[in-house]
Amino acid sequence: MIAVNSLWQEVYPYLAAQVSECYGRAGGRVLELGSFAGGLSYALATAHPNMTFTIADEHSDYMTHVEHNIILRRLDSRIHLTEAALDKLPFADGSFDLVLLRGAFFFIIDRPDILWEIYRVLTLGGVAFVGGGYGRSTPQSIVDAIADESRILNDQLGRRRVTLEQLRMLLRVQGLEHITRIIEEGGVWLVIRKHPLFTDKRVASLALALELGNPENIALVGGGGKTSLMFHLARELAGDGKKVISTTTTRIAKPSEKETPCIIVESEEDALIARLAQALSVHSHVTLALKWGDDCKLKGLPPEVLDRIYRLQMADCIINEADGAGCKPIKAPRYGEPVIPATTTRVIALLGLDALEVPLSSEIAFRPECINQLTGLPYGGIMTEEVIATLLTLPSGIIQNAPHSARIIPFLNKSDCVSTEKVESLAAAILARRHRQINHVVSGALLAQLSEYRVFHSQF
């Protein structure tokens, strides 16, 4: 076992990158299990200083070897060791965000309860990465250099072939089939995700889906359809007899007559409020801006002006586009973004589902370098549901600057682009983070003008 781990030292950084991409976070509590443990933890610890690690195995001689390596690498403050049977782990339910078990199938096929123990100690929203192989990105030159010796050593350890059908049967017996994805890239890997149960309902009204009250001061952030949502919601509320103000604290393109019946552009605050009061006596929906920009876009209002208008109770609902995303389906903010007024009651965090399970690039993401910094996902890495759930729930992610008193509602737009199962899985991953300001998730397809929205509530 020691010889195998020494032989694989050049492989572990590539496997760790694949694990990081799947996990989608740059921090958390990590458990690595088994007699091949250590290599992945060392590589992840080097790449992610905000992760903490526990390594557990039942072979005391091997654990002594691991302890020696941890001290040599000066990781003893971040990696803790526990000697334990893998099918009877001494950890409480929901103890770890990420669980790893490499080189495992010929071992766990005889001890299937190991898989259930892995699931048990995962926290809600946690991910397990279980399997064997060189991974999808390890250079072929490295594989070729160690393949023969690795095969000999594994045969000496009693390795035997495990078929995909045997794995699927094992997952069925353990009740994990529907939450596990089998990856056959550079080996065979099980990706197990622990999602909460949720209820969902379908509603025909966007206002009902967002569970709006009266009055509301709404900030729209993120990517993938903020402008569409703003004018769609404004039209719906105005049709129900509500008084609505649409505006921005950044910039928006000039809306069409179909989108708004009245536009007021006024740089002086008192004059703006006077003109707004007059316009609302005639129109149910008014769009406000400070001035025209050099790019022919409407320049938005300072957040304190929107605070004043909200406190004056001039309308039933203010809808503020508080963020720019360059028409990309997803973004991460830089410092100072989004621009959200203090009186905001709801922050709608939008995401275009055409960003799900595609490589991170400037084609689909606004500020991809910020996404890399927040999640650890490299340029070209896959935008998994875990990466997106991280971006939607991290305080420094899409919801940055949201007031602590505001409700936050993730809105998964373009639901017609992906399967129902993928929408449900992403909604569950978001709810699993248990963000105190997020009570539910909404999905829909704004440009497709579907008359139905799905509302997901978790059942903790």
Side-chain angles (χ1 to χ4, degrees), residues 383-404:
M383 298 286 295
T384 65
E385 63 186 42
E386 293 300 322
V387 169
I388 290 173
T390 297
L391 287 172
L392 283 166
T393 55
L394 268 184
S396 53
I398 292 171
I399 59 173
Q400 183 170 262
N401 298 333
H404 294 302

Side-chain angles (χ1 to χ4, degrees), residues 31-32 37-38 41 53-57 63 66 70 79-82:
L31 172 65
E32 188 175 10
S41 290
F53 299 83
T54 299
I55 294 176
D57 189 50
M63 293 296 277
V66 172
I70 290 171
I79 301 179
H80 305 282
L81 301 181
T82 299

Side-chain angles (χ1 to χ4, degrees), residues 318-339:
I318 298 171
I319 311 170
N320 164 38
E321 188 168 328
D323 204 3
C327 299
K328 305 293 174 62
I330 195 167
K331 76 164 289 183
R334 64 183 176 188
Y335 179 78
E337 298 177 320
V339 184

